[in-house]
Amino acid sequence: MELADEKGAAGISMRAIAARLGVEAMSLYNHVAGREDILDGMVDTVFGEVRLPNATTDWKPALRERCVSLRAALRRHPWAVGLLDSRSTPGPATLRHHDAVIGILRTGGFSVPMAAHAFSVIDSYLYGFVLQEHSLPFTTPAELEQVAGGILDSLPAGTHPHLTELAVEHALKPGYDYGAEFDFGLSLILDALRPDER
């Protein structure tokens, strides 16, 4: 996982792992079936890092807590976003995670189809936000100011007034944090979801 955190999932090869461990690549096959087996374990470890809320918690705060925790895990392991739901042999932490989320929705009054819809829309938003967050050309307010300032300076005078307004009146204001946009979007989704009528 450290190797993937540094180089991305594409950097995970039996040879690279062996080099990191100081062993011959062939010796790894005494412990794992191959690269796919390692990826399965890595994904399971990421799901194991996610804090699952108590099953007795109301569904909305429970899902919010889970989403915040999963986003934090994906920020630590950006390579995992595209792999989380791609594994055909999920491990115990992955299965426990998915079962718990479905259980929270079912206990909250969602039918099986609505639980599937809710799970899908929440994770689509969460994964998409994390992908966008990782691809931004800034991580600090100073970097944002430099990037936005460069864009604004390159615009011909009087063009793109709405983009200029958003940058100057919102993104470049002291205390702006792009990450706060996550909470706004998550609240919209959770507030729009409704358990089935019984």
Side-chain angles (χ1 to χ4, degrees):
M1 287 180 66
E2 288 175 3
L3 188 60
D5 291 344
E6 293 168 16
K7 300 182 182 293
I12 298 300
S13 68
M14 299 302 276
R15 181 170 290 159
I17 294 167
R20 176 62 62 99
L21 297 173
V23 299
E24 294 294 323
M26 290 306 294
S27 68
L28 296 177
Y29 291 98
N30 293 321
H31 306 282
V32 294
R35 182 177 186 270
E36 293 302 310
D37 196 21
I38 290 172
L39 292 176
D40 288 344
M42 290 168 57
V43 166
D44 201 54
T45 301
V46 172
F47 273 119
E49 291 181 9
V50 179
R51 186 178 58 254
L52 292 175
N54 186 318
T56 60
T57 306
D58 185 51
W59 71 269
K60 198 179 288 188
L63 288 179
R64 179 178 299 284
E65 180 181 340
R66 174 263 181 179
C67 288
V68 168
S69 181
L70 180 52
R71 177 177 167 233
L74 292 175
R75 291 183 73 187
R76 289 189 300 274
H77 310 296
W79 53 267
V81 176
L83 293 176
L84 286 189
D85 292 322
S86 71
R87 313 315 299 159
S88 59
T89 52
T94 304
L95 296 171
R96 184 172 47 255
H97 176 96
H98 284 67
D99 187 67
V101 173
I102 295 165
I104 289 165
L105 289 162
R106 294 288 290 132
T107 302
F110 288 77
S111 66
V112 171
M114 280 304 295
H117 297 325
F119 202 166
S120 179
V121 75
I122 289 167
D123 279 6
S124 294
Y125 170 70
L126 193 152
Y127 295 177
F129 188 91
V130 171
L131 281 172
Q132 184 172 3
E133 196 171 25
H134 283 305
S135 65
L136 291 173
F138 59 86
T139 56
T140 66
E143 290 172 349
L144 169 59
E145 188 171 337
Q146 182 179 14
V147 170
I151 292 170
L152 292 176
D153 290 345
S154 72
L155 297 176
T159 65
H160 307 90
H162 305 294
L163 179 61
T164 301
E165 178 184 44
L166 187 134
V168 172
E169 297 298 322
H170 184 63
L172 293 175
K173 290 285 189 185
Y176 174 76
D177 174 16
Y178 178 77
E181 302 293 348
F182 177 75
D183 295 328
F184 180 83
L186 183 59
S187 292
L188 284 177
I189 291 169
L190 293 178
D191 289 346
L193 291 172
R194 298 279 185 275
D196 298 66
E197 297 295 326
R198 294 191 178 202

